[in-house]
Amino acid sequence: MNNERMDGKVIIITGGSSGMGAALAKDFAKRGAKVAIFDLDKLKGMHVIQEIENLKGKALFFEVDVTNKQEIEAKVEIVEKELGPITSWINSAGISRMVPFLSSSEELWDLTMNVNLKATFLCCQVAIKKMLEHGKGEIINMSSLSGKKASSWQTVYCASKFGVQGLTQSIAKEFASDNIRINSICPGIVQTEMWEKLKYEYAQKRNINPEEVMPYFEQNIPMHRLVEMEDVINAAVFLLTDNSSYLTGQSINLAGGEWMD
Ligand SMILES: NC(=O)c1ccc[n+]([C@@H]2O[C@H](COP(=O)([O-])OP(=O)(O)OC[C@H]3O[C@@H](n4cnc5c(N)ncnc54)[C@H](O)[C@@H]3O)[C@@H](O)[C@H]2O)c1
């Protein structure tokens, strides 16, 4: 996907201030897309915008809580006025904690479900309404291998991501004949800010040192390496361009051979 251009695309990326969302925003802008970031973290979001502008790309930041439908709708109107009709949407905002099941609080359940699942539902509704008006569109939901395989201490996260899989597949079917494609990406471990915190919880679960966590994963993945940002970018560019024009309701496992369903 190295030379693939994205001129003419207007892409909203939730969670674009950090991690995979930020990397995708920067990459898409380099390929000629106009990008809008929806995130709670304004400081980090403005850094991403600055980096894009330094390379003469076009990007805007919006402080949005993606669990709030009114906020999403209001900001989408501004995006369309400033950048043009949206063509694509990536739902990458997410949170994750690793907690034993019996210590998982109701608050953790509500927060995780709201950010990972309900917000994806709300954003897909807003996106699809616009895409129906425009006659086409593509959505990527950033799911996880945890949307496909169970993990102890990650019950709440897994439940939210399994939900994202069901949501993605159901709406993909409903809007397949409307020229709107909805797919998901299911990464294994990507070393973002999310894992900076999670590795301490995982170390506790396995009773190892935090520095041993990533080598532990590498050893157990058939390809013996973690997901690289380039892997995520390649999958996303593929799913947002005509290279994948017959794919909808699918999920790409970025798993290095660890999971095959
Ligand atoms: N990092 C991994 O190993 C990994 C693996 C599989 C799936 N994922 C999923 O990929 C997505 C991106 O992960 P990441 O590692 O880049 O995470 P990250 O923590 O680096 O970034 C997540 C972003 O979401 C934003 N966010 C959180 N709640 C929000 C809200 N209510 N409204 C708006 N923005 C909000 C945060 O401010 C942050 O900028 C997440 O959905 C995550 O669950 C991550």
Side-chain angles (χ1 to χ4, degrees), residues 14-21 38-41 44 64-67 91-96 115-116 142-145 157 161 185-195 197 229:
T14 77
S17 293
S18 172
M20 287 185 258
F38 284 10
D39 204 294
L40 288 174
D41 195 326
K44 279 163 76 181
V64 181
D65 179 349
V66 289
T67 64
N91 288 308
S92 189
I95 52 170
S96 181
V115 178
N116 293 2
M142 207 49 86
S143 181
S144 172
L145 279 193
Y157 183 71
K161 294 294 187 180
I185 297 178
C186 295
I189 312 292
V190 196
Q191 280 193 282
T192 62
E193 286 81 342
M194 185 174 269
W195 266 99
K197 296 174 214 145
M229 215 44 103

